[in-house]
Amino acid sequence: MSGYYYVRPLDAASDEQPIQCRARGIFKKRGESPLVGDVVEFEETENGEGAVNSISARSSELIRPPVANIDLAVLVFSVTEPTLNLQLLDKFLVHIEHARIDAVLCLSKQDLTEEGEETEEARTALNDVLRIYEPIGYEVLVTSSKQGEGTSALSERLKGHLAVFAGQSGVGKSSLLNALVPGLTLETNEISNRLGRGKHTTRHVELIDIGGGYVADTPGFSQLDFAELGIEELGSCFREMQQLSASCKFRGCTHLHEPDCAVRAALEQGEIAPSRYNNYEIFMAEMKEKKRRY
């Protein structure tokens, strides 16, 4: 409902309804507003609702989708249908790294096979992710909602975290969340039982109580445009490039044309995946073009 925020007290039972609150006028004067994931101080009002009085300092903040205090991003990608898109995966990772949030790569829909056997496409996609992303420090989980594979490991990984699930439409995020939370019945682009309330389309960012942690199922990651990222920051959002940049001859090296560039040297020696560097070049060109136009 417009103008309302739904607040759950820290000591509330898992099945307890959140309290419907409005934000104090002071926030509007400051140009601030509570975000999903905020820790707030509130007081109950006479009509059984509440008023948000203050917002605690945030450990992280994402602009699109607007969520705060996320400390883990689960990037859900399918090994087949839709075909794994490494460029989109790297774009997600750039945004997550820029926000200084830890990331887990979750490969879903292992059940999409021909006659019960793993397809060549699925094997290639899985091997590519393991080969490229595990060596640079990303945790990879393989899951199947239908077969229950990997869901226990993912559930354990989410405990104690305020996490965000993100990925292409149709990769199985809703099915995965349904498998994690007994009684949760997410439908395509719809959420039910979120914090005890009814169905809403995923235009609204809300938290799902998964027992021991929360997940924000978000639609906004489908439109990533680097609006909040500066050109000079892009290299630091590629973990392997950030580690090598101190060895570049020039401070502020763009890793595109400068001599004695440690990143390009590592690329030539096979120490950086060509797909990662190619996507870096594509993103840099995209950012430069937008800067030129605007």
Side-chain angles (χ1 to χ4, degrees), residues 94 98 226-237 284 287 291:
V94 164
H98 182 248
F226 301 124
E228 69 275 16
L229 185 66
I231 289 175
E232 68 284 352
E233 298 175 287
L234 181 61
S236 67
C237 296
M284 182 67 81
M287 294 170 73
K291 185 177 181 180

Side-chain angles (χ1 to χ4, degrees), residues 34-102:
L35 295 177
V36 170
D38 269 329
V39 176
V40 302
E41 288 188 2
F42 75 101
E43 61 180 320
E44 294 192 41
T45 53
E46 295 178 356
N47 59 2
E49 296 183 351
V52 177
N53 293 324
S54 66
I55 304 172
S56 299
R58 295 165 178 161
S59 60
S60 66
E61 181 179 344
L62 295 174
I63 296 175
R64 283 182 299 277
V67 289
N69 297 317
I70 296 294
D71 60 2
L72 181 66
V74 180
L75 302 185
V76 186
F77 277 72
S78 177
V79 292
T80 54
E81 297 183 25
T83 301
L84 181 66
N85 185 334
L86 293 182
Q87 185 179 125
L88 184 60
L89 174 55
D90 282 340
K91 204 167 191 179
F92 275 79
L93 286 171
V94 164
H95 285 264
I96 295 303
E97 292 289 342
H98 182 248
R100 293 182 172 84
I101 297 171
D102 197 12

Side-chain angles (χ1 to χ4, degrees), residues 36 60 62 64-76 92 96 99 101-104 106 154 158 161-167 173 177 205-207 210 214-221:
V36 170
S60 66
L62 295 174
R64 283 182 299 277
V67 289
N69 297 317
I70 296 294
D71 60 2
L72 181 66
V74 180
L75 302 185
V76 186
F92 275 79
I96 295 303
I101 297 171
D102 197 12
V104 171
C106 180
L154 179 57
L158 292 169
H161 291 284
L162 180 55
V164 60
F165 268 36
K173 297 191 299 295
L177 284 167
V205 182
E206 299 181 49
L207 298 182
I210 61 168
Y214 289 94
V215 169
D217 184 42
T218 61
F221 273 118

